[in-house]
Amino acid sequence: MVEEEKNNIIYVIGHCNPDTDSICSAIAYADLKRKITGKRYKAKRAGQVNSETKFVLRYFGVNQPGYLPDVRTQVKDIEIRRIGGINRDVSIRRAWEKMTENSVVTLPVLESDKDLVGLITIGDITKSYMNVYDNKILSVAKTPIANILDTLQGELVAGNPDKIIESGKVLIAAANPDLMENYIEENDVVILGNRYESQLCAIEMNAKCIIVCEGAPVSRTITKLAQDKECIIIKTPHDTYTVARLVNQSMPISFFMKQDGLVTFTTEDFIDDIRTIMAKKRYRDFPILDKKTGEFIGMISRRNLLDAKRKQLILMDHSERSQAVDGLEDAEIIEIIDHHRIGSIETMSPVFFRNQPLGCTSTIVYQMYQENNIPIEKEIAGLLCSAILSDTLVFRSPTCTPVDEVAAKNLAEIAGIEIDSFAQEMFTAGSNLLSKSPEEIFYQDFKKFTASDLTFGVGQITAMNQEELEKIKGKLVPYMEKAFRDHGVEMLFFMLTNILQESTELIVQGNGAKEVVKNAFDIENPDEKIILEGVVSRKKQLIPLLMMSLQQDNN
């Protein structure tokens, strides 16, 4: 039976350098949407999980979301024709019948019902009928006796049906026995009628198999002699002409199938990548294999690409294209939940967009649980509370609102945690950065922004003491030049934020970056160490001033 695979999962995903809010809000919102709609919503991540978020997930016993680095349409997003394969020993007649039954022109040839070893097409079978073969073709093709029995609707009178024709020719015993002795050789397959003498002659000449036509009876003497000589006797209801026409259809498909240079794809392959390959090949159908196991799954054709279904996404904690997962242009955005400035993402049609001036996206998710009267489970409450504490720096950030604080306290009660002690543990786990590489530190919380056609990047790490920040700075400063080249941005800024002192040291890279900071924060000498007192929030205290400074420079 042919089945069609349809991907109806809606992915809930944050930005490509996820922080605790990005991960936790995605997990919680997927949970909320499942409970409200009963549909399949699945949290995903577009980047690696940082130390702080790992601590939070372990603390509340929640698994990391699966990694989804690219949301372009994949093979698994289109209809895959699910069809059972056939064994390489199956006759071409049976292969034809299966093609007709399933209205297909290509069949996969499998071993152990899962491993692809070849393909047989209707064209291959047509050639088997039209080509002229010599009388040794059954042995050349290594034809099983079982196939001959099946094709001729035969009855096994004597011999072993598991034998294979490996040598000899096929002939029709139309002459008298005296002449037959001149052309029957050992291991031949002889087609004959009810003449006792012809049957006896063929057996005595060591024929491998005799096929008795028109259901003619076979005597006990002939049967006993055949058994002694290990000659196979098949009795068929068909006449000699029909048997001669049908017998080649018993050849196994292994003789005709294509097994070298197969063009296969996996479920994870992107449609953009396979479309070009398919266009260059004259094949009608292409096999699909499981990416991990290599096992056969089904078939696709070029027509399936026309019905490709784009991935459906809900974006959490961002609306900037530069921060989003790769391949966003090929996906369908159906919702955006965010607490940042409205960014550059464009959609093909109207979407549900909720953006509030709060300290954390998880606060918005908490509100939506309340609005829909959905009870919040302990683990989800813990995740949402952790995200709010992280984003607001335990209510110290200027982005924090009374709404965030009330939400966090209510969630802490549900989760059974004490805010100050838990936050201390969480930040300590997150700030344990000295053992990490400069690259890991840099990308722990990094985002790109665009202002007046100029793209710049801003990273941030937070720590509980200044000594740790100084050591981290020693690692980061040499790496900033490489990061600057890799990203192709005009400017890079990195915030080293001391949570307890509520201050940030800013390190910069790129032509004009120091001048932008000088104008934004009215700093007299940006060539010296740049210390921004009272600045802890990238979103509210750094980005708006950098944007204004850049726009003034362009004007």
Side-chain angles (χ1 to χ4, degrees):
M1 183 178 180
V2 177
E3 297 178 0
E4 292 181 344
E5 180 175 294
K6 293 184 178 179
N7 185 353
N8 57 357
I9 298 174
I10 299 171
Y11 296 109
V12 185
I13 191 167
H15 43 80
C16 55
N17 288 298
D19 56 7
T20 300
D21 186 28
S22 176
I23 296 290
C24 292
S25 63
I27 294 173
Y29 196 58
D31 173 73
L32 175 63
K33 295 293 287 187
R34 285 193 297 269
K35 289 175 178 175
I36 293 174
T37 67
K39 295 182 180 179
R40 299 175 65 192
Y41 289 83
K42 196 168 187 177
K44 289 288 185 178
R45 57 185 173 89
Q48 301 308 311
V49 177
N50 63 39
S51 299
E52 178 186 286
T53 309
K54 286 179 181 177
F55 167 82
V56 171
L57 295 174
R58 282 196 302 267
Y59 191 96
F60 294 104
V62 178
N63 293 328
Q64 289 187 25
Y67 183 42
L68 185 62
D70 196 317
V71 292
R72 288 180 294 161
T73 305
Q74 294 169 279
V75 171
K76 63 184 177 183
D77 298 320
I78 66 177
E79 295 176 359
I80 299 176
R81 184 187 292 272
R82 302 280 189 159
I83 185 168
I86 53 177
N87 186 277
R88 64 191 309 145
D89 293 328
V90 167
S91 69
I92 57 174
R93 180 181 179 85
R94 283 297 181 193
W96 171 270
E97 290 173 352
K98 184 158 187 174
M99 287 181 183
T100 304
E101 177 186 340
N102 290 282
S103 300
V104 297
V105 296
T106 307
L107 286 176
V109 184
L110 307 180
E111 282 185 357
S112 305
D113 293 328
K114 59 183 181 181
D115 297 322
L116 183 72
V117 294
L119 294 174
I120 184 79
T121 69
I122 198 167
D124 298 327
I125 294 177
T126 301
K127 289 177 183 177
S128 75
Y129 287 126
M130 300 303 295
N131 286 352
V132 178
Y133 299 108
D134 65 28
N135 57 8
K136 293 184 178 180
I137 188 61
L138 289 192
S139 60
V140 172
K142 302 292 186 290
T143 305
I145 291 295
N147 284 10
I148 299 175
L149 275 165
D150 178 60
T151 303
L152 300 181
Q153 298 175 300
E155 172 191 341
L156 186 68
V157 178
N160 183 356
D162 295 329
K163 293 287 186 178
I164 294 174
I165 306 296
E166 296 181 303
S167 62
K169 59 186 178 295
V170 180
L171 54 89
I172 298 174
N176 61 52
D178 292 337
L179 292 175
M180 286 173 57
E181 292 179 358
N182 295 326
Y183 57 84
I184 294 179
E185 298 174 328
E186 185 176 0
N187 292 325
D188 283 351
V189 175
V190 183
I191 302 171
L192 38 69
N194 63 350
R195 293 177 63 183
Y196 176 90
E197 296 83 359
S198 298
Q199 297 171 4
L200 179 62
C201 178
I203 295 172
E204 287 181 338
M205 296 301 293
N206 295 315
K208 177 84 171 183
C209 173
I210 65 172
I211 300 172
V212 181
C213 300
E214 298 188 285
V218 180
S219 70
R220 291 182 181 178
T221 304
I222 292 295
T223 302
K224 179 65 170 61
L225 181 61
Q227 291 170 342
D228 293 341
K229 301 273 286 184
E230 295 186 353
C231 176
I232 299 164
I233 299 177
I234 295 173
K235 185 168 67 172
T236 173
H238 299 299
D239 58 38
T240 304
Y241 169 79
T242 303
V243 170
R245 186 174 63 84
L246 290 178
V247 71
N248 279 5
Q249 296 180 23
S250 63
M251 288 187 289
I253 58 171
S254 57
F255 185 69
F256 303 97
M257 72 182 187
K258 178 179 175 58
Q259 53 187 332
D260 297 323
L262 296 178
V263 179
T264 65
F265 304 117
T266 74
T267 49
E268 302 301 313
D269 286 335
F270 294 105
I271 298 301
D272 288 345
D273 297 334
I274 72 170
R275 183 179 279 112
T276 302
I277 298 173
M278 293 174 76
K280 293 178 180 178
K281 303 296 180 180
R282 298 183 64 183
Y283 312 136
R284 174 115 176 234
D285 299 291
F286 297 82
I288 303 302
L289 309 180
D290 184 276
K291 174 74 171 180
K292 295 180 180 178
T293 66
E295 295 178 1
F296 175 79
I297 292 178
M299 307 287 289
I300 64 169
S301 65
R302 294 180 185 85
R303 180 183 59 81
N304 295 118
L305 302 186
L306 301 176
D307 301 323
K309 182 180 180 183
R310 294 187 298 166
K311 286 185 174 66
Q312 292 185 308
L313 304 181
I314 296 177
L315 302 185
M316 303 298 294
D317 197 35
H318 71 296
S319 62
E320 292 272 1
R321 176 63 191 91
S322 59
Q323 299 171 15
V325 63
D326 287 344
L328 190 67
E329 294 80 5
D330 293 330
E332 180 186 1
I333 301 170
I334 58 175
E335 291 187 33
I336 301 174
I337 312 295
D338 192 19
H339 71 120
H340 298 94
R341 77 183 190 105
I342 297 175
S344 56
I345 287 177
E346 297 181 358
T347 61
M348 296 295 292
S349 57
V351 302
F352 177 80
F353 182 45
R354 181 157 176 169
N355 183 283
Q356 294 177 244
L358 297 173
C360 184
T361 298
S362 288
T363 303
I364 302 173
V365 177
Y366 167 75
Q367 291 179 327
M368 297 175 80
Y369 270 97
Q370 303 296 105
E371 292 162 4
N372 288 278
N373 296 315
I374 302 293
I376 304 177
E377 297 171 3
K378 180 178 179 179
E379 294 78 13
I380 296 296
L383 298 185
L384 292 173
C385 181
S386 301
I388 296 172
L389 297 177
S390 175
D391 257 23
T392 66
L393 301 177
V394 197
F395 317 132
R396 291 183 176 89
S397 171
T399 62
C400 183
T401 70
V403 175
D404 295 297
E405 190 166 351
V406 169
K409 290 177 179 178
N410 290 341
L411 290 164
E413 185 175 346
I414 298 171
I417 58 174
E418 197 280 316
I419 284 180
D420 290 331
S421 60
F422 174 79
Q424 179 72 29
E425 280 189 76
M426 180 179 71
F427 285 125
T428 300
S431 64
N432 184 22
L433 299 172
L434 294 179
S435 61
K436 295 185 180 297
S437 68
E439 184 177 15
E440 290 174 317
I441 297 171
F442 184 85
Y443 287 107
Q444 174 153 313
D445 187 4
F446 175 79
K447 295 180 179 180
K448 288 183 182 179
F449 301 88
T450 301
S452 300
D453 297 326
L454 182 145
T455 302
F456 63 97
V458 182
Q460 181 179 27
I461 54 107
T462 58
M464 305 293 285
N465 65 79
Q466 191 60 32
E467 182 181 355
E468 184 178 16
L469 285 175
E470 290 295 334
K471 292 179 180 178
I472 291 171
K473 178 184 175 182
K475 285 186 171 186
L476 269 180
V477 170
Y479 182 77
M480 286 277 286
E481 186 174 345
K482 179 182 184 302
F484 179 70
R485 292 195 308 269
D486 290 348
H487 282 285
V489 294
E490 281 79 4
M491 300 177 189
L492 273 185
F493 304 90
F494 203 94
M495 302 173 68
L496 301 168
T497 301
N498 188 314
I499 297 173
L500 297 182
Q501 293 182 8
E502 297 188 25
S503 67
T504 290
E505 179 178 354
L506 192 66
I507 53 180
V508 303
Q509 187 79 34
N511 291 332
K514 290 181 180 179
E515 191 67 24
V516 168
V517 174
K518 176 183 177 181
N519 295 336
F521 293 94
D522 196 24
I523 295 174
E524 292 185 4
N525 189 1
D527 291 328
E528 298 178 356
K529 181 186 288 188
I530 303 173
I531 303 296
L532 306 178
E533 297 291 346
V535 175
V536 294
S537 170
R538 174 174 51 192
K539 179 184 79 171
K540 195 164 187 175
Q541 295 176 295
L542 185 75
I543 298 301
L545 292 179
L546 292 181
M547 291 277 193
M548 289 176 60
S549 179
L550 287 167
Q551 289 168 354
Q552 288 172 2
D553 287 347
N554 286 336
N555 292 335

